[in-house]
Amino acid sequence: MVTPARLEGRVAAVTGAARGIGRAIAERLAADGARVACIDISAARIEQAVAEMQARGADVRAYALDVAERNAVHAAFARIEADFASPLAILVNNAAWIRYQAPSAIDAETLDRMLGVGVKGLIWTLQAAQDPLQRSGHGSVINICSTAALRATPDSLAYCAVKGAVAGLTRAAAVDFGRLGIRVNAIAPAFVATAAALANFDEAGIAQRRRSTPLGRLADASEIASVAAFLASDDSSFINGELVVVDGGRTHAAL
Ligand SMILES: NC(=O)c1ccc[n+]([C@@H]2O[C@H](COP(=O)([O-])OP(=O)(O)OC[C@H]3O[C@@H](n4cnc5c(N)ncnc54)[C@H](O)[C@@H]3O)[C@@H](O)[C@H]2O)c1
């Protein structure tokens, strides 16, 4: 017997889908049968990524916008529903703009941008997607958080503020949206070996992260994507408001 792909025909939107974890999630949802709206601020990068995914048979489309801009988000989500001729069932809030700074060095512009993309952006997409998610009958939202919501590293004051807010707004949205039949959950990765993350650390810093992880290695973006696909699917139909830690055991370890 052939089992149908578990997300067959469902429309998904993934923010920050041009590279890294967002790209891996878009690819995985498409592989599981979803039709994916791939959103990114970089038009060139999202068009290139979508062309590569389409070449491998994925049903994906590119949308270039800044998720921090409320009007742009609302316009894009209306366009996504028209383009796919079906309401959005899966929303993955992955985009973030991150800088690590010592507390005394944090400037207003950097902080506004981090909060704009990483917190306000999620509120705008939730707002724009609420109605289609409800109409889809399978609404599931996955917010990409971080273990920075649970414990801190040096120079992460602003980042912990952003990801702490993501954990909190996930719980709040799970209450409001749950009553509409929409589930809202978050994933908290520790260190994932994406180009952006690797660029932030030298070899010693990366080796330290490997050593402090009981599994003895860094996560691959596909290992975050597989959890996102589970949370997007009916296999997780009674999970709502959870923060799923995907860190190889690092947060629990004293290594
Ligand atoms: N990589 C890690 O180690 C790690 C660990 C924990 C959590 N995370 C979280 O995972 C997510 C993705 O991380 P990544 O390492 O893949 O990052 P990345 O920088 O490789 O990808 C982020 C993508 O978001 C896009 N983007 C940035 N600002 C945007 C905006 N305003 N509107 C639309 N798109 C925008 C970028 O162009 C980029 O394609 C982030 O939320 C990050 O905080 C990453």
Side-chain angles (χ1 to χ4, degrees):
M1 192 181 91
V2 179
T3 316
R6 64 180 171 175
L7 302 178
E8 195 63 54
R10 292 190 197 174
V11 179
V14 181
T15 69
R19 66 181 192 196
I21 294 171
R23 166 89 183 253
I25 292 173
E27 287 180 351
R28 176 58 196 258
L29 297 182
D32 282 1
R35 310 168 65 207
V36 188
C38 297
I39 296 169
D40 206 278
I41 195 165
S42 166
R45 280 208 308 263
I46 199 62
E47 275 157 27
Q48 160 102 31
V50 160
E52 288 168 10
M53 289 187 257
Q54 284 171 337
R56 290 201 295 275
D59 188 351
V60 292
R61 285 169 181 261
Y63 298 85
L65 64 132
D66 179 350
V67 297
E69 296 293 330
R70 184 178 185 272
N71 291 344
V73 169
H74 278 262
F77 278 73
R79 205 146 47 83
I80 288 166
E81 177 150 2
D83 289 348
F84 287 93
S86 187
L88 190 77
I90 301 157
L91 167 63
V92 182
N93 280 312
N94 163 80
W97 187 85
I98 297 153
R99 294 292 178 273
Y100 296 94
Q101 294 177 307
S104 61
I106 295 172
D107 60 284
E109 203 187 331
T110 304
L111 183 59
D112 285 349
R113 189 65 185 149
M114 282 183 68
L115 293 167
V117 180
V119 180
K120 283 189 196 170
L122 276 69
I123 292 176
W124 303 147
T125 60
L126 280 164
Q127 204 174 58
Q130 176 180 323
D131 181 52
L133 286 167
Q134 184 178 14
R135 280 186 281 109
S136 76
H138 297 280
S140 176
V141 178
I142 299 110
N143 296 326
I144 304 304
C145 188
S146 165
T147 50
L150 304 170
R151 59 178 215 169
T153 51
D155 298 338
S156 64
L157 185 59
Y159 188 56
C160 287
V162 168
K163 293 305 185 182
V166 172
L169 72 82
T170 297
R171 288 188 287 270
V175 172
D176 286 332
F177 283 53
R179 296 141 82 99
L180 308 174
I182 304 162
R183 297 180 297 111
V184 185
N185 293 290
I187 298 174
F191 192 85
V192 184
T194 63
L198 289 168
N200 278 321
F201 299 96
D202 58 14
E203 193 39 58
I206 291 163
Q208 189 278 330
R209 277 160 179 77
R210 228 180 256 122
R211 254 197 328 275
S212 59
T213 304
L215 290 181
R217 63 176 178 84
L218 306 178
D220 185 78
S222 64
E223 294 173 294
I224 309 304
S226 57
V227 178
F230 165 68
L231 291 173
S233 79
D234 297 343
D235 288 345
S236 59
S237 55
F238 211 60
I239 299 180
N240 188 30
E242 278 303 317
L243 180 67
V244 181
V245 176
V246 183
D247 71 344
R250 186 164 182 242
T251 307
H252 292 309
L255 294 173

